[in-house]
Amino acid sequence: MPTQAKAAVIDEITERFQKSSAAVLTEYRGLTVAQLTQLRRSLGAGSSYAVVKNTLTKRAADSVGHTDLAPLLNGPTAIAFIEGDVVEAAKAIRDFARANPLLVVKGGVVEGRTVSPAEVTALADVEPREVLLAKLAGAMKGNLTKAAGLFQAPLSQVARLAAALQEKKESAEGSAAPAADTAAADTTTDSADAADTAASTD
């Protein structure tokens, strides 16, 4: 590819990173053009799904401070650049991957923060923010000041919180019956601490 053409591609990818609130990197090996088109349409208005060249994408990512993405840029790579509702787009990617296991989520960037594949899935599992905050407010025994701070928490923090809560829930379910009450109390405490962290780092 001529140098001028490469520069144009790098500029385009750089602009997409800058305009997007999230970018999810995937491996699409084995998927058909029709399947990729289906995924692209499911992401919602304002979002796009593009096959990219790893070397050029790495240069674009470096230019906007996403150097942590370099290890993910290997093999056939396509990126979902999300400009609309991040949670809804994450749900679309998760649902498509369940129906089409050849799509592999490598990780990505949400609101400027690098996230793992597990965090992308956790973000897809997040309930509407109002519902999540209502539950957290109840867990914190009505301390709405802390809950209110989460309205401004980045979605990447919400995804981490959701993943932590899910891990605690699974841990509690796996414990012996006599320890159930203690596990539940620990989960409540950790939920409040996680919420404090999300609110204070906003």
Side-chain angles (χ1 to χ4, degrees):
M1 183 183 294
T3 301
Q4 186 174 359
K6 287 182 180 180
V9 172
I10 292 170
D11 288 344
E12 180 182 354
I13 298 173
T14 298
E15 184 178 3
R16 289 188 181 186
F17 273 123
Q18 292 172 331
K19 287 185 175 181
S20 301
S21 53
V24 178
L25 279 67
T26 66
E27 181 175 323
Y28 63 93
R29 193 194 311 265
L31 293 173
T32 66
V33 172
Q35 288 172 319
L36 296 178
T37 300
Q38 177 188 348
L39 173 57
R40 183 180 296 111
R41 289 174 177 169
S42 71
L43 294 175
S47 298
S48 62
Y49 186 73
V51 174
V52 297
K53 292 185 68 68
N54 292 327
T55 53
L56 303 184
T57 302
K58 182 179 182 300
R59 291 173 62 181
D62 287 347
S63 72
V64 292
H66 297 327
T67 55
D68 291 345
L69 295 181
L72 307 182
L73 292 168
N74 56 76
T77 304
I79 304 179
F81 290 100
I82 303 165
E83 294 185 34
D85 188 319
V86 176
V87 172
E88 288 304 313
K91 290 180 189 295
I93 293 170
R94 178 203 60 192
D95 293 346
F96 183 89
R98 286 177 176 173
N100 302 274
L102 291 176
L103 182 78
V104 178
V105 176
K106 299 180 177 183
V109 175
V110 177
E111 295 180 343
R113 301 188 182 203
T114 304
V115 294
S116 67
E119 288 168 334
V120 173
T121 300
L123 186 60
D125 291 334
V126 169
E127 295 178 285
R129 182 166 287 198
E130 293 78 7
V131 175
L132 181 61
L133 289 173
K135 290 183 177 180
L136 288 173
M140 292 184 289
K141 298 179 181 178
N143 192 339
L144 297 179
T145 301
K146 295 176 182 177
L150 288 178
F151 275 110
Q152 303 302 321
L155 283 170
S156 53
Q157 291 182 9
V158 175
R160 289 185 173 91
L161 175 58
L165 291 174
Q166 181 62 30
E167 288 176 6
K168 277 293 180 183
K169 179 180 178 182
E170 292 172 357
S171 175
E173 290 173 351
S175 300
D181 291 341
T182 302
D186 289 344
T187 302
T188 300
T189 302
D190 289 346
S191 298
D193 290 341
D196 280 337
T197 301
S200 62
T201 56
D202 176 39

